Amino acid sequence: MKHQFVRNFSIIAHIDHGKSTLADRILEHTGVIDQRTFHNQLLDDMELEQERGITIKASAVRIPYKSKAGQDYVLNLIDTPGHVDFTFEVSKSLRACEGVLLVVDAGQGVEAQTVSNLLLAMEHNLEVIPVINKIDLPTADPDKVKKQIHKALGIREEEIILASAKAGIGIDDILERVVERIPAPEGDPDAPLQALVFDSNFDIYKGVIVYVRVFNGVLRKGMKIRMMATGREYEILEMGVLSPKPVPCDAILCGEVGYITCNIRSAKEVENGDTVTTVESPASEALPGYKKIKPMVYASIFPVSAKDFQALKDSMEKLQLSDASLVFEVESSASVGFGFRCGFLGLLHMEIVQERLEREYDMNLVVTTPSVVYKVRKTTGETLEIENPSKLPDPSHIDAILEPYVDASLIIPPSCMGPILDLCEQRRGTYKTTEYLSEDRARVTYDFPLSEIIVDFYDRIKSITKGYGSLDYELTGHRESDLVKLDILINSEPCDSFSSIVHRDVAQTKGRALCEKLKELIPRQMFEVVIQAAIGGKIIARETVRPMGKNVTAKCYGGDITRKRKLWEKQKEGKKRMKQFGKVEIPQEAFLAALKLEQ
């Protein structure tokens, strides 16, 4: 197929606005899949995606299409996630496209992620085709949503296509608009090969499967290729396109999307954003890759059994192939042993990674409380980045602690304004603006410390607004705050897994709540267990787990009391010694309790 008849496009939208259903309907409408093999969320092939009804991984599919004018086209569709935690997946897909379908729910209207996804598309200079989906719903109000789109996104009302992915309305109009408006991919088929690696996956039989978009030149089977970032060279053993299952072919032409396998066995050998070129006549320079992703949330993952450490390492390397935004490094903890300090894009991302490790790789894990990246300005003038509270320097060497702030945009019904503003004030938010998009939609913007919104803020917004609220946020930088390190001591020994950096105003409340929770969860031992919360050398809360009792004087009856006293003293000495050398057993629930406290 000549590259002027190829169209590469993506579907972007807020979570639950119908991206995956629209992709399903396009595949069905163009006859790529038959009724026998069809199922809902066809491109969401991960069990977790089917279960939660969300898209986690972007997935590509090739669609043959005959336009009304009778011309044959090849459409490469990339379905993307909608959740704020997976924005990196969206930006990765947009690098491989020339245009996007921007889908908006006819009942819900413009949401926070709609705006941020549109800005992403404009940043990549893509053609935007607006679509109002779910027009068949009883709650749909397409005219009102058209006005919202025009006001919030600056798109002309007459350009907007009305559709219902579920009922199959408007699919022809969408496909016609794709071939009319989205430009053909640029590129020179005769130039040296340049193909962008936009995703990869691990297959137990084939090794690493690399997904590429060819920008210049042609990829052919048997070709000797070089990865420009790593300099490694391979021979292409198999190549093909996804339609939606892999279909082998002999060449991927300029402007097309496909996959290659080269018997790559190690996950570390492939980088997303790398450029593939030929060994014989390599390209002079690489394509612009992806911006290095910066994790927002850090947590430690440890195997429950120390012997599973190597298996966890292998699993995480394989997982990192299909999820380039996950970063990790080895860490050891006195209380839990060896594990990994991992960086995530948000709490849902952390939850998904944990669940995938447990399901797909059969791991049994302990995950510590998530924390954000703080900057510490030392008295010497040096600035450190701290993502683990246990690495915080001595308070006497700290001049200031800076925490990350985000610019948050909340789209809510005006009737919930009071409780939402109260919640934002409780989370140390700084009010900026309010803008009314329509009579039942308002956009409120706030500045927040990131640490205040990562745990359960989104859930609270959803419950206050009865599901109608949405949140989007963007990191704006670090600011100085009155922060302290809260340590939990168990029998005078600091337990680094429970350490956290908190605002001074809430340190006492949080310390007391954590001590009370641990008292409930730590089982009684043969000796007394003292749980304390401390800031530096100052103890701010204390709880005691009483030891198991044993009646050592049961065999004494009558006689002199001194005999009993001797036995009690001996028991007391023994308990004291046990407390010095005994190891307190902390169950896994206790580590999770630190996270659940806020909720």
Side-chain angles (χ1 to χ4, degrees), residues 337-596:
F338 278 97
F340 294 94
R341 186 74 181 165
C342 306
F344 307 96
L345 297 180
L347 229 68
L348 176 70
H349 184 209
M350 176 176 124
E351 219 177 285
I352 296 293
V353 167
Q354 184 186 348
E355 237 175 289
R356 285 186 70 188
L357 284 169
E358 288 176 345
R359 283 185 186 203
E360 295 172 29
Y361 301 101
D362 209 20
M363 302 305 312
N364 198 358
L365 307 170
V366 174
V367 181
T368 64
T369 318
S371 69
V372 297
V373 183
Y374 295 94
K375 284 188 177 173
V376 175
R377 200 165 57 233
K378 294 177 78 175
T379 46
T380 56
E382 184 191 355
T383 303
L384 304 174
E385 281 203 354
I386 304 286
E387 80 274 350
N388 191 339
S390 61
K391 290 182 179 166
L392 203 67
D394 188 89
S396 60
H397 297 158
I398 295 174
D399 177 32
I401 302 178
L402 295 84
E403 66 178 329
Y405 266 73
V406 293
D407 182 6
S409 160
L410 292 85
I411 293 184
I412 56 167
S415 55
C416 306
M417 190 69 81
I420 287 287
L421 294 184
D422 282 348
L423 174 68
C424 293
E425 293 302 319
Q426 285 166 24
R427 298 299 176 98
R428 298 193 282 133
T430 309
Y431 172 78
K432 285 168 77 181
T433 60
T434 301
E435 179 192 349
Y436 287 87
L437 303 175
S438 65
E439 62 274 13
D440 62 348
R441 282 307 234 202
R443 185 199 290 160
V444 184
T445 54
Y446 261 90
D447 271 345
F448 283 108
L450 178 62
S451 58
E452 294 287 345
I453 65 167
I454 57 168
V455 175
D456 64 337
F457 186 63
Y458 188 57
D459 299 342
R460 293 288 302 278
I461 288 171
K462 281 288 183 199
S463 64
I464 291 171
T465 60
K466 299 182 174 61
Y468 287 103
S470 64
L471 165 75
D472 181 45
Y473 55 84
E474 199 177 306
L475 209 57
T476 54
H478 285 69
R479 295 186 204 166
E480 207 171 300
S481 294
D482 186 12
L483 301 170
V484 290
K485 182 185 174 194
L486 179 69
D487 277 317
I488 297 294
L489 313 178
I490 295 185
N491 282 354
S492 306
E493 285 293 315
C495 186
D496 50 9
S497 305
F498 294 118
S499 297
S500 56
I501 296 173
V502 295
H503 198 269
R504 196 181 294 276
D505 296 350
V506 297
Q508 185 130 13
T509 319
K510 190 162 180 190
R512 188 173 296 128
L514 197 47
C515 287
E516 285 168 7
K517 194 77 181 164
L518 291 176
K519 184 186 176 181
E520 285 171 32
L521 293 167
I522 293 176
R524 286 173 74 182
Q525 324 272 322
M526 290 302 292
F527 48 89
E528 184 183 70
V529 177
V530 177
I531 304 159
Q532 295 167 310
I535 296 171
K538 186 184 174 192
I539 304 294
I540 55 167
R542 173 189 164 123
E543 291 291 339
T544 308
V545 179
R546 288 181 52 232
M548 288 179 189
K550 182 186 176 190
N551 190 353
V552 286
T553 58
K555 59 181 182 287
C556 305
Y557 48 90
D560 190 358
I561 188 72
T562 54
R563 187 163 169 235
K564 286 186 179 178
R565 280 202 186 121
K566 256 185 201 164
L567 287 169
W568 284 330
E569 282 303 319
K570 199 172 170 188
Q571 185 185 27
K572 212 171 174 184
E573 282 303 312
K575 296 259 185 204
K576 207 169 171 184
R577 242 179 113 247
M578 276 177 86
K579 187 176 169 181
Q580 263 179 309
F581 300 106
K583 191 172 185 296
V584 181
E585 283 183 15
I586 303 173
Q588 186 178 343
E589 296 83 73
F591 293 100
L592 301 174
L595 167 58
K596 298 262 164 63

